Amino acid sequence: MRGKSQSLACVQKQVKYMFLQIGSLAAILFCCTRKSRASLPVMGFPPLSSPPSIAIVGGGPAGLTLMRILDVHLRDIDPLRNPKVTIFERDANQHSQTDQIGTLDLHTYTGLAAMKAAELFEEFQKHARYDGEELVIADKNGTELVHMHAGKGTTPGVEATRPEIDRATLMDILLASVGTHRIIWGKKLTSVTEDKKLCFADGSIFGPYDLIVGADGTWGKVRPILTSVRPRYSGICGFESLIVDPDIKHPAIAKLFGRGAYFAFSDGKAMMAHRLGSGNIKLNYWIKSNESFHSDVMKQSDGQDDVLRDTLHDLYTDWLPILRKCIDVSQRFKSRALYELPIGDRWDHRLGFTLMGDSAHLMTPFSGKGANAAMRDGLDLAGAVIESLTQDKSLDECIKSYEEQMFMKIEEVQSLTMMNKQGMFRDDAPVGFMVDMMDVIAKAKGKDLNKGVLAWIPVKKMARLVAWVIVTAGAWKRRFTVL
C-alpha cells in the first residue's frame, strides 16, 4: 500500500504544478475588482441658492465613506454653503453594532481608492494585513488545487494586492474620521414618504431632505420607494463559528488554514475559513439547501452547541478529519441565509432618492466584492454631490449620472459573483469551478476561448483533466493514508 501511495503522490505532484499555474491566475481573478478610475471633480464654487440637505440611512462602510469623503473634499467651502449631511443608524451606538466579526480584503480600484480619497489610507496601513492575501482552494479531502501565497501570483494587468483588515477595525477608522456624534443612533426606519421624510419606529419623523440615500442593507426601507424588486433567496444558507486562539490550542488547524483564507468545496457544500487580526479563525459552513434549513436546524438545537455540532458532522460526514475537527473546537455559532438581487437590476431615477451598497446591488459573498463595491459607491456618490456644488450642475442631474455609471459597473461584478456561487456549489466542485474560471482568465487577457483559433484548442478540457487527476489522486492518497 505504501508504494502505491508514493506513486500516486508523485503523479499528483507533477500534475499539480501544471494546474497551479492555472489556479493562481484564477485565484487572483476570484478576488480582484474591475478597474475604475473615476476621479473627484476639480474644486470651484459657483453660486448656489442654498446648500442641499442629505440624509444617509445606514451607518455602514458605504454611508460612512460617503460622509467622510464629502467632509474631506468640501472642507474649504464656506460653511454656509456646505451640504448638511446626517447619518441615521438603527444600532443604539457604535459598541452595539452587530455582525462585525469578519475580515475584508480591500481592492485597489474600489475599497482602497475610497480610503485614499477619504485621506484614511495611512491609518488603514497601520492595521492592514498583507499576509492575509494567502489563499487556498481545496476539496473535502484537503487536496489543494490552488495555494496562492501572500505577495505572489502577480499577473500583468490583473490586481494582486488585496490587504485584509477586520471589518470592525475598518468601521472604527471610518467612525473616528467622521465623529460618532454626527450619527443619530437608535433609529430604526419604518417608512419613507413621497415628500422625502423619514419615519422611524420610535415615532419620530425627520425631513424633508433634498436627497435621501438608502445604505440600509438587504431589507432596507428606502429601496421600496424606488423599485418593487426585492432581494431573493440565493439557494445558499449556512452557519458561522469562531475558533479562538488556534495557534496555541489547535496548531494543526492553524497550520492548515495559514494566515489568509482557506476555501474547501465539495458535494454542494463549502467550508470557508478566514484568519482574523486577533489570530482567531472565522469559519463559514455554506450549504445548498432550502431557505429555512438553517433556521430549522437552529430551532432544533435550541441553543445547544453539541446538538448543532452533531448536525454539522452529519452534513460533512466524509470530509477530511481535520476539517471536521473544526466543528468540535468552534464556538459562537450563528446561522444565516444568503440573498441577492437580480443581475442587471435597475430602477427608474427619481428626484431626491438614490441607493448604494447592498441596498442597490445585493450579492452573495463569493467574490469578496460586496464591501468594496459599497465603498466605491460612497466614493462615486460623493463625487456626484461635489460635482453639483463645484460645477454649477443640478444635484439631481449628478445623482442620475452616478446611478447610470453604477448600473454599468456593477453588472460585471454581479455576473462574476453569480458565476462563483454556481461554480463553488456544483456537484463536481472544485473541479468545475476551476474550469469555469478559465473563461474569466481569458477575458482578463482580452481573449475568448470560444472564438477563433482558441476554439480549436481544448484548453478547458485539458484544465478539467488536470484538475480531475489532482482531485482523484488526493482522494486515493487520503484512502491509503487512512488504511
Side-chain angles (χ1 to χ4, degrees):
M1 289 296 183
R2 184 178 179 184
K4 290 183 178 180
S5 178
Q6 290 176 335
S7 297
L8 284 169
C10 183
V11 171
Q12 183 185 19
K13 182 177 181 181
Q14 295 299 318
V15 180
K16 185 176 180 180
Y17 174 77
M18 298 168 55
F19 196 67
L20 281 175
Q21 309 311 306
I22 300 171
S24 293
L25 292 172
I28 295 169
L29 286 162
F30 168 71
C31 296
C32 72
T33 302
R34 179 179 183 267
K35 295 181 181 179
S36 179
R37 291 190 173 90
S39 57
L40 295 171
V42 178
M43 299 297 284
F45 306 109
L48 293 172
S49 56
S50 62
S53 59
I54 301 173
I56 303 172
V57 182
L64 292 172
T65 298
L66 171 57
M67 176 178 269
R68 169 61 181 179
I69 294 176
L70 287 176
D71 286 350
V72 168
H73 292 273
L74 294 176
R75 58 190 166 199
D76 294 329
I77 194 173
D78 184 338
L80 297 177
R81 299 155 48 85
N82 219 318
K84 300 174 182 177
V85 184
T86 306
I87 290 181
F88 296 91
E89 170 56 44
R90 64 179 297 164
D91 287 325
N93 53 61
Q94 68 180 107
H95 304 295
S96 64
Q97 291 193 313
T98 59
D99 198 27
Q100 294 298 312
I101 297 178
T103 182
L104 305 170
D105 58 329
L106 297 193
H107 303 171
T108 301
Y109 300 103
T110 50
L112 291 179
M115 293 301 279
K116 290 176 180 178
E119 296 185 357
L120 295 174
F121 186 69
E122 289 186 8
E123 185 63 27
F124 166 80
Q125 288 284 66
K126 297 176 184 178
H127 307 277
R129 304 193 312 277
Y130 285 86
D131 59 349
E133 293 182 85
E134 183 179 5
L135 172 65
V136 173
I137 297 178
D139 71 350
K140 64 182 179 182
N141 295 309
T143 305
E144 295 181 3
L145 290 173
V146 172
H147 191 155
M148 197 172 78
H149 296 277
K152 296 184 179 181
T154 54
T155 300
V158 178
E159 177 187 6
T161 301
R162 304 172 305 278
E164 296 276 342
I165 187 170
D166 282 9
R167 180 182 174 87
T169 303
L170 177 65
M171 287 293 293
D172 287 343
I173 293 172
L174 290 169
L175 281 168
S177 72
V178 301
T180 56
H181 64 283
R182 298 179 61 199
I183 299 172
I184 302 180
W185 299 91
K187 290 296 182 181
K188 181 180 179 181
L189 186 66
T190 56
S191 63
V192 181
T193 66
E194 298 285 339
D195 58 348
K196 306 183 188 68
K197 293 181 180 179
L198 301 175
C199 304
F200 295 94
D202 60 6
S204 61
I205 299 175
F206 287 77
Y209 294 93
D210 294 305
L211 176 65
I212 294 177
V213 181
D216 45 346
T218 304
W219 306 112
K221 300 300 183 181
V222 180
R223 182 177 175 84
I225 205 164
L226 286 170
T227 173
S228 62
V229 179
R230 303 296 284 155
R232 61 192 182 190
Y233 178 54
S234 68
I236 308 297
C237 66
F239 310 88
E240 70 175 53
S241 66
L242 192 69
I243 300 178
V244 178
D245 295 331
D247 293 308
I248 298 173
K249 298 178 180 179
H250 313 288
I253 292 175
K255 181 179 180 181
L256 175 68
F257 289 157
R259 303 304 304 174
Y262 184 102
F263 301 157
F265 312 110
S266 286
D267 309 325
K269 295 186 283 287
M271 186 178 289
M272 307 177 76
H274 292 87
R275 183 75 74 147
L276 304 177
S278 62
N280 295 339
I281 295 172
K282 180 184 178 183
L283 275 168
N284 287 102
Y285 315 86
W286 297 119
I287 302 153
K288 187 165 61 175
S289 187
N290 62 71
E291 186 175 4
S292 65
F293 175 78
H294 70 106
S295 57
D296 292 341
V297 170
M298 295 300 283
K299 288 177 183 177
Q300 292 168 7
S301 65
D302 194 27
Q304 301 179 59
D305 286 350
D306 286 342
V307 176
L308 177 56
R309 290 188 181 101
D310 288 342
T311 301
L312 289 174
H313 274 296
D314 290 340
L315 291 168
Y316 292 86
T317 184
D318 60 342
W319 285 50
L320 190 69
I322 193 171
L323 293 176
R324 299 178 74 236
K325 183 181 178 182
C326 294
I327 299 171
D328 296 324
V329 302
S330 285
Q331 55 185 272
R332 305 183 196 177
F333 287 95
K334 297 180 181 179
S335 73
R336 63 184 289 208
L338 299 178
Y339 294 86
E340 61 194 4
L341 286 165
I343 296 173
D345 174 59
R346 302 184 177 205
W347 60 84
D348 293 331
H349 174 71
R350 185 171 181 179
L351 176 67
F353 301 95
T354 195
L355 303 173
M356 61 194 301
D358 286 347
S359 297
H361 41 69
L362 179 67
M363 297 172 279
T364 59
F366 301 120
S367 66
K369 298 180 182 295
N372 280 281
M375 293 178 72
R376 182 73 215 193
D377 287 347
L379 170 58
D380 292 340
L381 184 52
V385 174
I386 293 169
E387 184 178 18
S388 73
L389 292 171
T390 61
Q391 297 187 16
D392 200 18
K393 294 182 179 180
S394 73
L395 179 62
D396 184 59
E397 176 187 349
C398 294
I399 298 303
K400 184 176 182 180
S401 177
Y402 151 77
E403 291 175 343
E404 291 172 349
Q405 292 178 34
M406 178 186 64
F407 292 148
M408 289 189 294
K409 290 189 293 185
I410 204 63
E411 187 167 347
E412 182 178 345
V413 178
Q414 290 175 312
S415 297
L416 178 58
T417 303
M418 179 65 74
M419 189 194 75
N420 284 349
K421 183 194 76 172
Q422 293 172 343
M424 291 173 182
F425 294 92
R426 289 172 50 149
D427 291 337
D428 63 348
V431 173
F433 168 63
M434 297 306 300
V435 173
D436 288 343
M437 290 303 297
M438 295 300 300
D439 286 320
V440 181
I441 296 169
K443 184 176 181 181
K445 292 178 172 289
K447 307 291 183 181
D448 188 338
L449 298 179
N450 302 307
K451 293 182 180 179
V453 177
L454 290 175
W456 295 90
I457 303 174
V459 176
K460 294 172 73 172
K461 288 183 178 180
M462 290 189 294
R464 178 176 292 278
L465 176 61
V466 172
W468 179 84
V469 170
I470 293 173
V471 168
T472 302
W476 279 99
K477 179 180 179 181
R478 177 186 168 190
R479 179 179 179 183
F480 286 131
T481 301
V482 172
L483 292 175

